[in-house]
Amino acid sequence: MNIHHSRVTRAVFMAAGLVSGAVAQSISTPLDSGYVVALHLVSLHDKPCCQILTPGVSVRSQSSGYMMGTLDNSTGERSYFAGRMFETDDKLWALGFGVITGYKRAVVLPFITPSVHFDLGNEYGVRFSILPRSHTTGADAIHFMLEKTLK
């Protein structure tokens, strides 16, 4: 077996384990706590090296903060992520962390991202996440998402 395929297989199983844990945690919480579905739209970078359109979708439990999703990353590859988000009581500020796939640098990478949420009314909102560069040749970015709360 190719070493690359072996690493990819391990990464897929590790990500699947994290996602299944997040799903199990979300399912065990009361359904009336709600979920947030996010449409990932664009990422604006501080360098011209990266793709602007980064479409994707994610879901997050409001009660536990566990999240998972997929998007086209800034290098044009498909990424899958799982993690957890902690929000302030007023839901304005949040800090998310977890793991993400889809980058050449490593099969699975950790991420941590602060964000701010603006309520648009009727359970809709816009979230701006700050994505700090993960290495010296990377780029910082602001990522835009449209969110809908499902109760």
Side-chain angles (χ1 to χ4, degrees):
M1 177 185 262
N2 183 316
I3 291 174
H4 174 71
H5 290 330
S6 174
R7 287 178 35 194
V8 169
T9 303
R10 280 196 313 263
V12 167
F13 280 110
M14 184 167 54
L18 288 168
V19 168
S20 62
V23 169
Q25 175 65 31
S26 295
I27 290 171
S28 67
T29 60
L31 289 178
D32 63 350
S33 64
Y35 293 87
V36 176
V37 175
L39 295 178
H40 297 256
L41 303 172
V42 297
S43 297
L44 302 177
H45 299 83
D46 65 345
K47 292 182 180 179
C49 63
C50 306
Q51 201 166 283
I52 294 173
L53 291 176
T54 52
V57 64
S58 64
V59 64
R60 181 178 79 247
S61 167
Q62 279 195 300
S63 60
S64 69
Y66 285 105
M67 61 183 170
M68 62 183 170
T70 183
L71 57 86
D72 288 347
N73 66 35
S74 298
T75 64
E77 300 296 326
R78 173 60 55 183
S79 285
Y80 299 92
F81 63 90
R84 192 166 189 188
M85 182 184 285
F86 293 95
E87 293 180 298
T88 57
D89 289 338
D90 62 4
K91 308 283 186 201
L92 179 64
W93 301 99
L95 184 64
F97 68 92
V99 294
I100 190 165
T101 66
Y103 292 92
K104 292 179 182 169
R105 190 167 150 251
V107 177
V108 177
L109 290 169
F111 71 83
I112 185 165
T113 178
S115 65
V116 62
H117 177 267
F118 297 101
D119 186 13
L120 299 177
N122 295 324
E123 306 297 332
Y124 285 93
V126 174
R127 182 171 301 278
F128 302 99
S129 293
I130 299 168
L131 306 175
R133 72 186 70 200
S134 62
H135 54 92
T136 56
T137 60
D140 296 316
I142 298 176
H143 182 69
F144 298 88
M145 295 168 272
L146 178 63
E147 296 184 335
K148 169 69 173 161
T149 300
L150 305 174
K151 293 189 176 188

